[in-house]
Amino acid sequence: MLNQTDHQNVPAGTKSQVTVHFFAGVAQLAGQRQICLHPQSPTVAGIRAALLAALPQIEPLLSRSAIVVDGRYAAADETVEMAAEIAVIPPVSGG
Amino acid sequence: MLLHGPIDTSGLLKQVACDEAGANLLFTGTTRRTTGDVITDWLEYEAYQSLAETELHQLRREAVTTFGLTGCVIVHRLGRVAVGETSVAVAVSAAHRQEAFAAAAWLMEELKRRVPVWKQEVGPTGAAWIHPEPADQSDGAGR
């Protein structure tokens, strides 16, 4: 059930909430493993902007990171479903 | 595949063995003590596991098709990997050695470029996540 108070706290113009997952150095800079956002634009670029506004300290790695939506690398102008699984993928170092 | 415990490297060659193979190759990447001036006590690996598994399966399919392999197994360990222990293993088999060597080298290069796994170097001076620059795919900790 929608909580009326929470609903009123969502900034005007926002569509809904998305959860973004962090790994490795991004999680370290963020100080958390995930964040819930209310992006103004339901696109990958909109999510990047919302991430920078909420966690400016991750910028050095975010600028070098890809965004994965539902297991697929996504382009900046791609529209994101609000129920999608979203992750920030910094440069990898396996092996 | 991804594992949270030690990799049974000797068992991997058995997994890729077959009657059509004339070449069987096992590569293991291990935690190195010294990289330049940096001393490593252990490496800590983490992954975006669902995507990493998907990418590893895709790498295997591409390697089998491209190099005509008769067998191929890729295993990456997650969590703490002490000095001398294996963090990654690739076993391949092929009719001839040229294809086996080429496939193993290609698989390791592509794994380090594509699979969402990250290492943190932990040593006497602290811990640091490794995020290589585009021009530095060796990340200073290359195999």
Side-chain angles (χ1 to χ4, degrees):
Chain A
M1 179 182 293
L2 181 66
N3 180 303
Q4 188 63 32
T5 303
D6 288 348
H7 179 66
Q8 289 174 338
N9 286 340
V10 175
T14 52
K15 299 294 183 183
S16 188
Q17 174 180 285
V18 297
T19 301
V20 182
H21 300 271
F22 303 136
F23 298 93
V26 180
Q28 185 176 47
L29 288 175
Q32 57 201 77
R33 305 294 299 192
Q34 64 183 52
I35 189 172
C36 295
L37 297 171
H38 302 280
Q40 292 293 320
S41 166
T43 62
V44 170
I47 289 169
R48 281 186 182 272
L51 281 170
L52 279 180
L55 299 166
Q57 70 271 29
I58 71 173
E59 194 279 334
L61 264 181
L62 182 63
S63 62
R64 300 169 52 208
S65 297
I67 302 293
V68 164
V69 178
D70 285 339
R72 194 174 47 77
Y73 289 90
D77 60 352
E78 194 165 313
T79 300
V80 178
E81 297 292 330
M82 289 302 138
E85 181 175 301
I86 300 166
V88 177
I89 306 295
V92 301
S93 56
Chain B
M1 67 185 295
L2 300 171
L3 275 183
H4 287 271
I7 300 173
D8 174 19
T9 53
S10 61
L12 298 182
L13 279 176
K14 294 176 186 169
Q15 290 186 43
V16 299
C18 77
D19 290 348
E20 298 307 315
N24 301 271
L25 187 63
L26 171 66
F27 170 85
T28 63
T30 55
T31 300
R32 180 177 55 242
R33 170 75 73 194
T34 307
T35 302
D37 296 332
V38 177
I39 302 299
T40 299
D41 289 331
W42 71 83
L43 297 174
E44 193 82 31
Y45 286 90
E46 74 171 41
Y48 182 17
Q49 293 193 39
S50 58
L51 182 56
E53 290 280 14
T54 299
E55 293 280 3
L56 288 172
H57 284 299
Q58 178 64 23
L59 277 182
R60 181 187 177 281
R61 280 194 294 271
E62 290 180 30
V64 168
T65 301
T66 302
F67 299 95
L69 301 179
T70 52
C72 178
V73 179
I74 315 164
V75 185
H76 204 302
R77 183 174 174 181
L78 300 178
R80 180 184 293 202
V81 183
V83 168
E85 293 185 346
T86 298
S87 58
V88 63
V90 169
V92 298
S93 65
H96 304 285
R97 69 183 182 280
Q98 289 88 350
E99 290 85 355
F101 281 123
W106 180 85
L107 279 165
M108 280 306 303
E109 292 302 316
E110 291 300 301
L111 181 150
K112 292 173 75 70
R113 190 176 70 82
R114 287 161 54 175
V115 180
V117 174
W118 299 273
K119 67 165 72 78
Q120 187 182 44
E121 290 180 345
V122 183
T125 57
W129 285 105
I130 306 300
H131 294 296
E133 299 287 345
D136 182 24
Q137 283 298 316
S138 70
D139 69 43
R143 303 300 180 198

